[in-house]
Amino acid sequence: MATERMTPAKIRCDACPVMCFIAEGKIGACDRYANHGGDLVRLDPLTIIENTSHKLVPFMKDSMPEDWDGNIVQGDRPFVTAVGAGTTYPDYKPAPFIVSQEIDGVDMVTVVTEGIFSYCGVKVKIDTDRHIGHERDVVRVGGEPIGHVMTSEYGSKMLSLGGVEHLTGGSKKEGRMTCDALLRLCNREPVEMQIGEEDHTTTLVVEAGKPPLVNGMEEKLMRVGCGSATIGMFPKQWVGHVDEVVVVDDHITGVLSEHQTGKMLEVAPTGIKIKGRKSTPGRYFQVAKPGTGWGGTDIEDPLTILGPFNPKIAWEGLSLLMVSTTGEQFGYFVLDADLMPQPAEIPARLKASADLIAENCEPSICSVLFMGGAGGSLRAGVTENPVRLTRSVKDSLTFVSCGGAESYVWPGGGITVMVDVLDMPTGSFGYVPTPALVAPIEFTMRVADYATLGGHMDEIKKVSSIVSAETRKIAQRDSQPDPMDRTNYRWAKERR
């Protein structure tokens, strides 16, 4: 890393646009670089993924002695991630590490850098049917807006946080608060946020891989499906044991006797009336307002969504089960002589059906996906002709990973990637005070393809010269593909 000495005691860091003057023994504003004896040093170690999943030595009776050289595991091929690699800025300079190694007879190269992302954010998926806010409600941290609520997905609430509009398009405080929240979320730390306005504010704590806290309550289960789906999944638990079943849900509330499922199983009409907008038989929208009660509604008493039973159809003694889409809330009722539902002790068979719904629910967790764009300046650290890198990625000649984790590359222009932070090494993310997030990104390809796209060929080093005792070594995650595996590349498929 080039430095410019300003005084005998200070050096100037050129790793980002801030260009800090760092005194001897001190660290820069990003907490990533320090002045150590007059040298600018990256504080976090370079992270290497040790892939030991290949060529395990078979201890079989017919193995040849020459097959084993004394090592229990053969075929190690370290993958140099960008975690701890450092940045180059401006990016006319080659990336910090450009390393090569032979993989199954093919010369491969990985270009490694920690990118400075102004255009970045996170998408948060929260597995809950609890109401956390209306679509487009503003998400705030420390009073500053950092994102908004997106439309819900099946069984989950979604947030879009960060982005250039919040990092640099608002006030300085908004940018700093957004950057800090993104950094903590990406590094798997909890972040408390407030959603909505004064008349409908929700407090939410999000941490990657952990259950959400909604208004201080830890969510347990992700709903098994909407009310209609639940009717379709579990009718045989009810037919013959109860006259009517209502599955309460903020999206679609299901009614067994009216539902297509009930018709096919010859469930008799009950004269029940549901408040809400009827969609199709046995399926009702908007039976209540969104909330943290039954099935993601605002109700605590399920009977509030019922109108009077039709006296021409209903009868005294009619039994009714009402249950939520997680099975956590349930109630059993019997109509009295006035056809009013009266609470009664739930039969064991029906209690077991609620337990079965709960058993089929998955745990409620928060997923945090980092999303950023590898812009022109970052790509210039890979090649002198940046657009060729984009084309190489789109042509499946270059594999993009973040901290060794497989990334999803969005279609269309540019190299816009999205990656689950739980698939990345711990402590993968940093920041610069501009403000922007610092995230690892690697581009792996054949050496021949790297030369074709105008790569910095003179900067290639053997991986053996990079791996040392100081590097941080971690194991390959079972859920992640080896970035250097030939099946990632188009040319391997063309050879078949």
Side-chain angles (χ1 to χ4, degrees):
M1 186 70 66
T3 60
E4 176 186 346
R5 290 189 180 277
M6 302 304 297
T7 69
K10 289 186 176 181
I11 58 175
R12 187 169 195 176
C13 175
D14 63 354
C16 84
V18 176
M19 302 185 73
C20 295
F21 293 103
I22 307 176
E24 164 66 28
K26 302 295 184 180
I27 60 176
C30 64
D31 298 329
R32 297 165 54 238
Y33 287 93
N35 180 345
H36 180 68
D39 294 324
L40 186 68
V41 295
R42 179 74 171 88
L43 291 175
D44 302 307
L46 182 66
T47 297
I48 308 286
I49 294 177
E50 291 188 316
N51 188 325
T52 58
S53 62
H54 295 76
K55 298 182 180 179
L56 292 176
V57 176
F59 283 85
M60 300 178 66
K61 62 181 180 181
D62 56 351
S63 296
M64 300 299 291
E66 57 269 27
D67 288 341
W68 186 44
D69 63 2
N71 291 324
I72 293 178
V73 178
Q74 294 179 332
D76 289 4
R77 50 194 208 197
F79 180 77
V80 180
T81 78
V83 180
T87 51
T88 54
Y89 193 87
D91 283 308
Y92 65 84
K93 295 173 285 186
F97 294 98
I98 304 176
V99 296
S100 69
Q101 59 184 307
E102 182 183 314
I103 304 296
D104 298 334
V106 179
D107 289 329
M108 303 292 291
V109 63
T110 301
V111 184
V112 169
T113 188
E114 287 182 307
I116 301 174
F117 291 89
S118 294
Y119 282 83
C120 76
V122 299
K123 307 304 179 194
V124 180
K125 174 174 173 283
I126 305 167
D127 302 329
T128 180
D129 60 354
R130 310 292 182 200
H131 179 68
I132 62 170
H134 301 292
E135 184 179 356
R136 300 188 298 277
D137 270 354
V138 174
V139 179
R140 288 182 169 81
V141 171
E144 295 296 323
I146 70 163
H148 64 274
V149 178
M150 297 194 295
T151 192
S152 300
E153 299 298 342
Y154 203 102
S156 304
K157 307 300 183 186
M158 305 293 293
L159 304 178
S160 177
L161 306 179
V164 70
E165 282 79 4
H166 291 287
L167 281 168
T168 61
S171 68
K172 182 179 292 186
K173 185 179 179 183
E174 176 182 340
R176 288 177 176 173
M177 197 64 72
T178 300
C179 187
D180 179 70
L182 295 180
L183 179 64
R184 286 186 285 148
L185 285 170
C186 288
N187 281 333
R188 311 179 189 183
E189 298 176 17
V191 173
E192 180 174 312
M193 48 194 79
Q194 291 75 42
I195 300 176
E197 305 303 327
E198 289 184 359
D199 59 339
H200 62 279
T201 301
T202 301
T203 299
L204 178 70
V205 177
V206 171
E207 182 178 356
K210 299 291 180 63
L213 295 178
V214 182
N215 290 332
M217 299 292 291
E218 181 178 295
E219 185 68 327
K220 302 293 185 185
L221 299 175
M222 178 183 182
R223 71 176 185 172
V224 70
C226 68
S228 174
T230 307
I231 290 285
M233 283 188 278
F234 301 105
K236 293 187 176 180
Q237 306 298 318
W238 303 319
V239 175
H241 303 283
V242 64
D243 297 313
E244 184 64 279
V245 178
V246 177
V247 182
V248 182
D249 180 46
D250 175 51
H251 178 210
I252 302 176
T253 289
V255 179
L256 177 61
S257 67
E258 299 178 357
H259 197 273
Q260 183 179 2
T261 303
K263 300 300 183 187
M264 296 184 71
L265 295 176
E266 298 180 343
V267 176
T270 61
I272 194 169
K273 180 177 177 57
I274 302 292
K275 299 176 182 175
R277 181 162 65 87
K278 188 174 184 178
S279 168
T280 54
R283 302 169 75 249
Y284 292 85
F285 298 148
Q286 302 165 4
V287 298
K289 295 180 180 178
T292 56
W294 280 54
T297 70
D298 64 344
I299 64 171
E300 298 298 333
D301 178 4
L303 297 179
T304 59
I305 69 170
L306 300 185
F309 277 75
N310 186 341
K312 297 180 180 178
I313 302 175
W315 62 94
E316 181 181 0
L318 184 152
S319 58
L320 168 67
L321 172 67
M322 301 189 75
V323 63
S324 68
T325 46
T326 60
E328 295 172 295
Q329 296 105 343
F330 54 85
Y332 180 71
F333 307 90
V334 177
L335 298 193
D336 62 16
D338 296 324
L339 302 183
M340 298 295 293
Q342 300 299 331
E345 184 177 354
I346 186 170
R349 176 68 184 244
L350 298 180
K351 171 63 168 60
S353 74
D355 294 341
L356 185 62
I357 293 174
E359 180 183 341
N360 278 270
C361 294
E362 296 178 68
S364 174
I365 64 169
C366 299
S367 300
V368 177
L369 276 72
F370 168 77
M371 185 171 173
S377 58
L378 186 152
R379 289 178 296 170
V382 181
T383 167
E384 294 178 353
N385 198 337
V387 73
R388 290 187 180 178
L389 175 64
T390 305
R391 294 169 182 161
S392 182
V393 171
K394 299 300 170 68
D395 288 342
S396 298
L397 295 175
T398 295
F399 185 84
V400 185
S401 57
C402 295
E406 183 179 26
S407 64
Y408 173 75
V409 180
W410 281 69
I415 305 175
T416 303
V417 300
M418 190 162 66
V419 61
D420 186 346
V421 302
L422 290 180
D423 290 333
M424 302 173 67
T426 55
S428 286
F429 292 84
Y431 78 102
V432 294
T434 54
L437 220 57
V438 175
I441 189 165
E442 305 96 23
F443 301 95
T444 303
M445 68 205 87
R446 290 184 300 191
V447 171
D449 292 325
Y450 190 48
T452 299
L453 61 81
H456 304 290
M457 301 299 291
D458 294 339
E459 300 296 326
I460 295 179
K461 299 177 181 176
K462 292 291 184 183
V463 69
S464 56
S465 67
I466 303 299
V467 180
S468 69
E470 287 73 32
T471 54
R472 171 196 183 198
K473 301 178 180 64
I474 61 175
Q476 174 81 34
R477 287 180 177 271
D478 293 339
S479 62
Q480 291 299 302
D482 179 357
M484 295 177 292
D485 193 293
R486 62 174 55 226
T487 59
N488 298 323
Y489 302 92
R490 190 189 72 193
W491 50 263
K493 299 170 184 174
E494 292 173 343
R495 284 183 176 180
R496 294 175 182 172

